Amino acid sequence: MLKDKTAVITGAAKGIGRAIAIAFAKKGCNIVLNYRSAVSEDLVKEIEDCGVKCLAVKADVSNFEQAEALIKTAKAEFGSVDVLVNNAGITRDGLIMRMSEKDFDDVINTNLKGAFNTIRHVSNIMLKQKQGAIINISSVVGLMGNVGQANYASSKAGVIGLTKSAARELASRGITVNAVAPGFITTEMTSVLKEDIQNKMIETIPLKKAGTPEDVAQAVVFLAENRYITGQVLNVDGGMVMN
Ligand code: NDP
């Protein structure tokens, strides 16, 4: 079903985005691998070894023009954009009373506006194609809130509002838009947390373990393949949030 389709994954040089790119490649998708600072040739080769094409495109998705160039490059290279995964994200943690305006703005601009920017530019393409799947990576923190993450939680809650609005706007042309809300996943983003804090977090997870980037990637691929789920948030969190 995904074979020979084109998937654009933002922030895909490492962590969850990397696992998502590999998972789509294994399904036979050509990959547009967006990165901000650097991408290893080994990753591009690993993807190409799945028998698909991989184009690495440098772009800061928080920048409207760079996001437009990313999507246009994908369309020009492969002729269609069938899947968009908005994965790029950052944290700048701190208590509200000490949080700088810049730390608030940077997180909103990357995590929320970055997703808007790519959806804004891909929607014309998908509307003309009359098909497509958009998956936005939110977080359980966007559902629960978290001490020290007012900026991040706001951005991830915003991503859910963006997801549901885009799902309603694009549904009539067969385009699905969903969010995945990971819980505690082992990546560079979470490895900066002290070990005792990591252990405390794991204690609160019903499945009593951290998730892997591959756990998230599997859920993203599922939402790209399924053609009758839209406007939903799928938690991949070991049971942290039960709706
Ligand atoms: P990482 O920090 O490991 O990777 C994030 C990636 O996003 C990096 O490759 C980074 O590139 C890229 N990125 C950041 N800003 C931009 C930008 N402006 N434009 C393009 N790319 C950018 O994080 P994870 O893999 O852990 O997280 C991936 C997503 O999953 C994020 O949205 C995160 O919020 C979300 N998430 C993660 C959880 C976890 O437990 N790990 C839990 C819930 C959600 P560079 O290194 O060059 O800056």
Side-chain angles (χ1 to χ4, degrees):
M1 190 176 196
L2 291 171
K3 195 162 166 19
D4 299 326
K5 297 275 169 72
T6 306
V8 177
I9 298 114
T10 69
K14 63 184 181 189
I16 293 171
R18 179 184 199 280
I20 293 170
I22 292 169
F24 276 103
K26 285 184 177 163
K27 288 280 179 179
C29 271
N30 294 318
I31 304 297
V32 177
L33 191 149
N34 160 248
Y35 66 98
R36 182 173 60 168
S37 49
V39 65
S40 81
E41 281 180 19
D42 287 354
L43 174 58
V44 173
K45 184 164 180 324
E46 189 177 344
I47 289 171
E48 287 172 344
D49 284 349
C50 298
V52 299
K53 292 179 189 153
C54 178
L55 181 71
V57 181
K58 186 177 167 80
D60 175 346
V61 294
S62 69
N63 179 293
F64 193 74
E65 287 77 24
Q66 290 186 34
E68 180 177 22
L70 167 67
I71 300 298
K72 281 191 168 163
T73 303
K75 165 86 173 139
E77 184 73 15
F78 294 117
S80 68
V81 182
D82 307 290
V83 178
L84 167 67
V85 183
N86 281 308
N87 165 81
I90 58 168
T91 51
R92 296 285 183 270
D93 296 352
L95 295 173
I96 293 171
M97 63 183 203
R98 290 195 214 115
M99 187 175 285
S100 68
E101 185 182 8
K102 184 174 185 327
D103 281 349
F104 190 86
D105 289 349
D106 285 353
V107 170
I108 297 289
N109 285 339
T110 300
N111 300 5
L112 177 56
K113 191 177 163 226
F116 163 74
N117 287 344
T118 53
I119 293 173
R120 163 71 179 76
H121 296 296
V122 91
S123 54
N124 292 339
I125 296 169
M126 287 186 174
L127 284 167
K128 279 191 197 134
Q129 290 172 179
K130 296 197 175 63
Q131 60 93 21
I134 299 171
I135 299 105
N136 299 317
I137 307 300
S138 177
S139 165
V140 290
V141 166
L143 299 165
M144 301 159 60
N146 199 20
V147 172
Q149 291 199 307
N151 49 1
Y152 184 76
S154 304
S155 72
K156 295 299 188 180
V159 162
I160 293 172
L162 174 65
T163 299
K164 292 181 178 178
S165 303
R168 288 186 187 279
E169 283 190 25
L170 303 175
S172 65
R173 301 287 176 94
I175 300 157
T176 61
V177 189
N178 291 287
V180 167
F184 184 65
I185 310 295
T186 311
T187 67
E188 259 180 48
M189 187 178 269
T190 46
S191 67
V192 295
L193 298 169
K194 288 190 189 118
E195 203 181 319
D196 60 319
I197 293 182
Q198 290 196 33
N199 290 337
K200 266 190 197 154
M201 286 193 70
I202 288 168
E203 268 308 298
T204 67
I205 302 171
L207 286 177
K208 299 287 178 222
K209 60 177 184 181
T212 64
E214 290 72 26
D215 291 325
V216 180
Q218 196 178 39
V220 173
V221 168
F222 163 72
L223 289 171
E225 285 183 325
N226 186 286
R227 299 289 74 224
Y228 202 60
I229 297 176
T230 197
Q232 303 303 309
V233 183
L234 177 54
N235 301 342
V236 182
D237 65 353
M240 280 171 91
V241 175
M242 296 195 189
N243 297 319

